[in-house]
Amino acid sequence: MISLNRNYLIRKYGSNLPILTQLSLSNNQISSIDPNLFSNLTNLNQLWLANNQISSIDSSTFSNLTKLNQLSLYNNQISSIDPKLFSNQTNLTHLWLYDNRISSIDANAFINLTNLTHLWLSNNQISSIDSKLFKNLCHLCQLWLDKNRIGSIDSSTFSNLAQLTSLSLSFNQISSIDANLFSNLTNLTHLWLSNNQISSIDPESFKNLKNLERLDIYDNPMTSSTNQSINFIDKRIFRGLKNLKNIYLHSKDLNSISDLAEDL
């Protein structure tokens, strides 16, 4: 492994090391990357580029890194993801993209990441998610989308994520939860929905979450779908959540819970 952290690099480095498996270039002042910089590092399996000033990455930059399984790009200034950027990263399992300026992601950006298990997209500027964005991520276990600007999510967005165990959607602008949004997430154990604008949750929203252990829905303007004059949580929302160990509901707007203990 070569670590060149905190070296304030501004030119090419380590490009002729074909047996290299790990390379860390984090904590520098890198603002751009030559598309050919990693072309000879064909055995690289971990690449760390976090905490730099990278604003864009050419679509061919990682083309020869077919063995890559961990890629860290967090805390940069990336605003968009080229749909071909990760085309050859079929072995990638961990992808860190949080703390950037990403506002939109092409529907095909993750299409070849069929072995991805962990994806961090927190603290960006994402306002919408294409319903097909995660369709090929059938091995995904953790998905972090908190601290964005997401207002609504299509009911089919998570339909192929049957292996997902943790999903964070906190600190967004989500206003409602569709009945089918989580219907295929049967292995989900942790769900964070706090600090949104959720005013209603369909009573069927959590019905298939048999393995859910933690649910955070605090700091939302919760109301009943049948009576908008009071702030109310329908007990049917929690029906069948027999493995639920922790539930966080605190909210200054919550006035009523309908016999919650009967269904938990």
Side-chain angles (χ1 to χ4, degrees), residues 40-253:
N40 292 332
L41 305 184
T42 54
N43 284 299
L44 204 66
N45 57 52
Q46 294 186 21
L47 176 59
W48 299 83
L49 290 162
N51 297 314
N52 279 292
Q53 299 173 13
I54 301 167
S55 58
S56 63
I57 305 174
D58 187 88
S59 62
S60 64
T61 301
F62 306 132
S63 294
N64 290 355
L65 305 185
T66 58
K67 295 183 179 180
L68 205 64
N69 57 52
Q70 294 191 22
L71 176 58
S72 176
L73 291 163
Y74 67 83
N75 199 20
N76 277 287
Q77 299 175 16
I78 301 168
S79 59
S80 62
I81 304 295
D82 189 284
K84 296 181 179 179
L85 183 60
F86 307 124
S87 294
N88 294 341
Q89 277 62 64
T90 56
N91 290 306
L92 200 67
T93 59
H94 292 66
L95 177 58
W96 289 266
L97 287 166
Y98 66 86
D99 288 345
N100 274 287
R101 300 176 180 178
I102 301 169
S103 57
S104 62
I105 305 176
D106 188 275
N108 295 314
F110 305 140
I111 197 168
N112 290 336
L113 303 184
T114 53
N115 285 301
L116 198 69
T117 60
H118 294 72
L119 176 58
W120 289 267
L121 289 164
S122 305
N123 202 27
N124 278 287
Q125 300 174 13
I126 302 168
S127 58
S128 62
I129 302 173
D130 191 285
S131 62
K132 298 179 180 180
L133 182 61
F134 308 122
K135 69 176 182 178
N136 284 3
L137 307 187
C138 56
H139 292 105
L140 198 66
C141 295
Q142 295 190 11
L143 176 58
W144 301 87
L145 287 162
D146 50 288
K147 297 180 181 177
N148 277 289
R149 302 174 181 177
I150 302 167
S152 62
I153 304 175
D154 186 88
S155 61
S156 65
T157 301
F158 306 130
S159 61
N160 289 354
L161 306 184
Q163 301 302 313
L164 202 67
T165 59
S166 297
L167 174 60
S168 180
L169 292 165
S170 296
F171 292 93
N172 277 289
Q173 299 172 13
I174 300 168
S175 58
S176 62
I177 303 296
D178 186 88
N180 297 311
L181 184 60
F182 307 126
S183 60
N184 290 351
L185 305 185
T186 54
N187 285 303
L188 201 68
T189 59
H190 292 71
L191 176 59
W192 291 270
L193 293 167
S194 59
N195 293 95
N196 274 286
Q197 299 299 316
I198 301 171
S199 60
S200 64
I201 299 178
D202 191 284
E204 302 294 310
S205 294
F206 305 141
K207 67 177 181 179
N208 291 341
L209 305 185
K210 307 298 183 183
N211 291 301
L212 197 67
E213 297 178 5
R214 173 172 178 153
L215 175 62
D216 286 30
I217 52 175
Y218 62 85
D219 284 342
N220 279 290
M222 302 290 291
T223 59
S224 166
S225 59
T226 58
N227 186 352
Q228 297 295 326
S229 64
I230 61 172
N231 294 313
F232 177 87
I233 295 181
D234 194 315
K235 69 175 183 178
R236 292 175 298 171
I237 291 173
F238 308 104
R239 186 168 295 164
L241 301 184
K242 301 302 182 184
N243 287 305
L244 198 63
K245 298 176 182 178
N246 299 285
I247 183 169
Y248 298 87
L249 295 169
H250 54 274
S251 171
K252 62 182 176 62
D253 296 320

